[in-house]
Each structure stands twice: as C-alpha cells, then as structure tokens.
Amino acid sequence: DMGRIGALLSPAGNRMDLSEAVASSALRDNDVVTALALPPMSIASNSWAFAAMKSDGSVVTWGHASWGGNSRDVQEQLAGGVQHVYSTSSAFAAVKRDGSVVTWGD
C-alpha cells in the first residue's frame, strides 16, 4: 500500500492545488509532475488525546498524558504488530496480530 497523495509538485517544484483540474493548470505536454504520497495510517482519538497506527503496525500517541496521550509504559508493545486501535473517552486499546490487547490511558 503506497498511501494516498498528499501533494502534487509542478515541474518548477511548486505545490499544486489537488482540487484543480489538470486542464486548467499551466501544465504542458511532457511536463513532469511529482506526487508525494502520505503513508497510510489510521487515527483514533478521544477529547484529549490521539493514537495513530502507522503502516508498519506501530503506534504513536500525543495529547493529554492521563487520557492516553502518553503511551510510554507500553511503548515496546506498540512498536509493531498492531492491527487496530480503539478509543474510549479516556483510554486506548490496541489489538495486535497475535490477538493480545494493549491498553493505556485512564
């Protein structure tokens, strides 16, 4: 999975509007446009914190420490093998490939 397009760069290296039609752009025949791909990830959240599952199966967190923004105590368990992340109002749960569940937050 290559992700999704985050930006298009014109032949001059300028960011192009993704919603702009190619026909209305200043592109000419044989111009080269560069597509920058965003890595696939899913983000779970509550009112105070976020948890992003990256394409390699690892999880990064940020936000209020008490409500799941700090996952330092389970950092090694979130380093890979995560298939899905769920959120509650004050905590997160990560389901791993092996069926185990890792929780953090309040």
Side-chain angles (χ1 to χ4, degrees):
D1 190 358
M2 289 292 293
R4 55 189 167 78
I5 294 177
L8 290 177
L9 301 180
S10 72
N14 300 317
R15 185 179 290 257
M16 298 174 63
D17 185 351
L18 289 175
S19 63
E20 181 182 351
V22 172
S24 65
S25 71
L27 294 175
R28 298 180 310 218
D29 286 344
N30 299 317
D31 276 350
V32 175
V33 174
T34 303
L36 302 176
L38 297 174
M41 70 171 56
S42 64
I43 298 178
S45 67
N46 57 38
S47 295
W48 301 97
F50 300 87
M53 185 182 70
K54 296 167 51 174
S55 60
D56 64 0
S58 65
V59 174
V60 294
T61 62
W62 66 97
H64 195 290
S66 297
W67 284 276
N70 181 351
S71 58
R72 190 171 310 155
D73 291 343
V74 294
Q75 186 174 6
E76 286 185 27
Q77 294 165 290
L78 298 177
V82 174
Q83 287 189 313
H84 197 81
V85 177
Y86 297 94
S87 64
T88 69
S89 61
S90 60
F92 293 89
V95 178
K96 298 192 68 170
R97 277 189 210 107
D98 64 7
S100 64
V101 178
V102 181
T103 61
W104 67 97
D106 190 20

